[in-house]
């Protein structure tokens, strides 16, 4: 499949790499992009005929280092003057646009809608080379709080069903900017991977009246085979059934469905999470530079949809987490066999290696 003409992309901040993994990320979608729903899997796909491609230009002058050419939405700490640690700006080539209505409509048995939503760049730091694994915990805390504030703010929009952030780092992961950045996307639908998790969480809860993530945590902490590190109220672990080698999850140890509520209210927690995130990324970087990171949090419950039952128990059966999927070049075939994930390193082995990795601070 060529990348220059038609392109379709399953809209999941994480599974997109499993669909096609172009070494040159392309975000120059024209206004002709639209969302179409696969009637079988119920996954939304962004598709359209692209006009021109603009490859990643990591050597271009950095627009995030200066105030020129960026449209600032919010910053943290929220103090007057130029001082800031993290800030959110409008994405220069947004995949989703805030204006208009989704205009969801039928097309025979199919469904389609406009790419209404929001797409922001979360600038993690004012310094061009202070990546999350080099920044101090205070700075990372500011980034986490800003992310939480942006999610809460966008969730107030009745059109928006889901908001989250992700980070692609390294040229094999589709990194877009050289400045330390993550990206925030707000959509009028729940992306498929999160939808699968929500449905599974609800089913488990119906049977057991417990959160599946809490049960996983209980067993993992007891067995201690796949636990990378515990930091206060947070834990980093390798999942039992990893999709890629060294896949790592970071979760709150106590039940909590929504990152944005925790992230905002408890500064002590935020610092623990910042430290765990920084140290976990250092460990992963002892294996590979390139990784995808995504936050999975509960969808907007301010404007619940009538036909989606999972909103009723969502605070009990969903549990927010951060997923990190390293891109290990030598194991690239794992990405091509996407019908069944193939990970040639077990989490037990990966976790032993990550635990022993040399990290500073
Ligand atoms: Zn910069
Ligand atoms: Zn839970
Ligand atoms: Zn998840």
């Amino acid at each position: 499949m060529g990348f220059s003409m038609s392109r379709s992309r399953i809209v999941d901040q994480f599974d997109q790499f499993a669909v096609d993994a172009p070494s040159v990320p392309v975000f120059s979608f024209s206004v002709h992009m639209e969302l179409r729903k696969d009637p079988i899997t119920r996954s939304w796909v962004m598709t359209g005929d692209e006009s021109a491609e603009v490859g990643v230009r990591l050597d271009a002058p950095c627009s995030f280092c200066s105030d020129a050419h960026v449209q600032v939405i919010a910053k943290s700490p929220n103090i007057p003057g130029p001082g800031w640690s993290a800030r959110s700006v409008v994405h220069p080539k947004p995949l989703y646009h805030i204006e208009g209505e989704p205009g969801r409509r039928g097309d025979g048995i199919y469904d389609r809608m406009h790419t209404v939503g929001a797409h922001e760049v979360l600038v993690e730091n004012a310094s061009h080379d202070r990546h999350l694994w080099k920044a101090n915990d205070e700075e990372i805390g500011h980034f986490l709080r800003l992310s939480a504030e942006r999610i809460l703010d966008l969730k107030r929009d009745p059109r928006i069903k889901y908001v989250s952030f992700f980070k692609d780092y390294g040229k094999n992961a589709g990194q877009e900017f050289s400045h330390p950045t993550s990206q925030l996307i707000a959509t009028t639908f729940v992306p498929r991977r999160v939808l699968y998790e929500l449905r599974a969480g609800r089913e488990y809860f119906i049977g057991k009246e417990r959160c599946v993530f809490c049960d996983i945590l209980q067993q993992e902490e007891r067995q201690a085979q796949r636990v990378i590190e515990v930091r206060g109220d947070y834990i980093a672990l390798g999942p039992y059934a990893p999709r890629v080698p060294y896949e790592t999850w970071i979760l709150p140890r106590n039940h909590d469905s929504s990152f944005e509520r925790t992230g905002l209210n408890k500064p002590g927690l935020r610092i623990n999470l910042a430290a765990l995130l920084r140290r976990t990324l250092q460990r992963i970087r002892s294996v590979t530079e390139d990784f995808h990171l995504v936050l999975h949090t509960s969808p907007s419950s301010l404007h619940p949809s009538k036909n989606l039952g999972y909103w009723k128990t969502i605070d009990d059966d969903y549990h927010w987490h951060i997923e990190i999927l390293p891109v290990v070049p030598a194991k690239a075939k794992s990405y091509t066999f996407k019908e069944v994930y193939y990970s040639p390193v077990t989490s037990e082995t990966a976790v032993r290696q990550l635990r022993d990795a040399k990290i500073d601070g």
Side-chain angles (χ1 to χ4, degrees):
M1 165 183 163
F3 295 121
S4 56
M5 296 296 286
S6 296
R7 156 184 301 265
S8 66
R9 184 178 285 246
I10 290 180
V11 184
D12 181 302
Q13 286 94 325
F14 240 12
D15 276 359
Q16 68 181 23
F17 79 95
V19 176
D20 55 30
S23 54
V24 178
V26 178
F27 284 111
S28 62
F29 295 105
S30 67
V31 288
H32 305 299
M33 302 306 286
E34 65 171 354
L35 290 160
R36 293 185 184 179
K37 193 177 191 179
D38 176 344
I40 300 163
T41 64
R42 294 187 272 166
S43 301
W44 286 94
V45 168
M46 187 181 282
T47 186
D49 294 317
E50 266 175 56
S51 40
E53 285 202 4
V54 178
V56 69
R57 290 190 52 205
L58 296 178
D59 56 338
C62 178
S63 51
F64 301 116
C65 277
S66 71
D67 278 344
H69 315 300
V70 293
Q71 206 180 327
V72 178
I73 300 165
K75 62 178 181 171
S76 176
N78 192 14
I79 47 173
W84 57 279
S85 178
R87 64 184 184 181
S88 95
V89 305
V90 176
H91 193 288
K93 292 195 172 87
L95 288 175
Y96 295 90
H97 301 267
I98 201 78
E99 305 84 24
E101 288 299 320
R104 185 164 170 172
R105 59 214 183 274
D107 177 3
I109 65 162
Y110 303 122
D111 272 273
R112 67 206 302 188
M113 61 181 171
H114 301 303
T115 52
V116 169
H119 191 179
E120 302 177 7
V121 178
L122 300 171
V123 187
E124 296 157 6
N125 206 293
S127 314
H128 193 73
D129 61 352
R130 275 172 91 74
H131 286 281
L132 289 176
W133 50 91
K134 291 184 195 158
N136 67 45
D137 297 341
E138 194 75 30
E139 291 167 325
I140 302 168
H142 283 306
F143 160 68
L144 294 171
R145 188 173 69 177
L146 177 80
S147 308
E149 283 170 356
R150 293 306 306 137
I151 294 172
L152 277 179
D153 185 46
L154 285 158
K155 277 188 168 179
R156 288 191 198 105
D157 186 327
R159 299 169 304 168
I160 299 299
K161 294 280 188 294
Y162 188 74
V163 194
S164 178
F165 68 80
F166 68 96
K167 177 178 179 66
D168 294 325
Y169 184 82
K171 71 175 186 341
N172 294 317
Q175 182 181 354
E176 200 178 357
F177 309 111
S178 59
H179 198 100
T181 48
S182 296
Q183 299 192 18
L184 178 137
I185 285 191
T187 48
T188 55
F189 59 93
V190 179
R192 66 169 185 162
R193 171 85 191 169
V194 181
L195 201 52
Y196 294 163
E197 291 183 358
L198 289 167
R199 288 181 189 142
R202 182 185 50 182
E203 269 168 36
Y204 191 91
F205 189 83
I206 289 171
K208 306 206 177 194
E209 295 194 356
R210 293 196 307 267
C211 161
V212 63
F213 294 91
C214 284
D215 278 7
I216 289 172
L217 287 177
Q218 205 177 42
Q219 178 164 341
E220 292 298 339
E221 293 206 32
R222 194 174 61 238
Q223 291 185 332
Q225 272 188 313
R226 285 170 293 270
V227 175
I228 298 167
E229 186 178 352
V230 172
R231 192 96 182 174
D233 288 309
Y234 299 94
I235 185 170
L237 56 83
Y240 182 71
R243 284 168 288 173
V244 296
Y246 306 97
E247 175 171 356
T248 300
W249 297 353
I250 293 177
L251 309 92
R253 293 166 74 199
N254 295 311
H255 182 77
D256 192 356
S257 64
S258 155
F259 161 82
E260 54 277 16
R261 291 198 296 251
T262 321
L264 262 187
N265 297 334
K266 300 165 189 160
L269 288 183
R270 216 159 53 220
I271 292 297
N272 273 335
L273 178 59
L276 187 58
L277 181 59
R278 173 178 57 75
R279 290 165 59 87
T280 302
L281 289 176
Q282 282 186 23
R283 292 180 202 280
I284 283 171
R285 286 175 57 78
S286 73
V287 179
T288 178
E289 287 232 326
D290 302 17
F291 64 87
H292 305 275
L293 177 153
V294 70
L295 167 73
H296 283 166
T297 186
S298 57
S300 177
S301 53
L302 285 177
H303 313 279
S305 151
K306 283 188 196 70
N307 52 6
L308 294 171
Y310 53 77
W311 257 282
K312 292 194 189 88
T313 55
I314 199 156
D315 276 339
D316 298 316
D317 64 37
Y318 196 64
H319 193 125
W320 75 263
H321 54 278
I322 291 169
E323 297 181 2
I324 305 168
L325 279 89
V327 181
V328 183
K331 318 285 187 198
K333 88 171 168 179
S334 59
Y335 305 117
T336 61
F337 283 81
K338 59 185 187 285
E339 299 287 322
V340 177
Y341 291 113
Y342 170 88
S343 175
V345 182
T346 61
S347 277
E348 292 78 17
T349 303
V351 163
R352 270 200 302 277
Q353 198 179 334
L354 292 174
R355 263 191 220 143
D356 294 342
K358 271 205 159 45
I359 58 171
D360 42 76

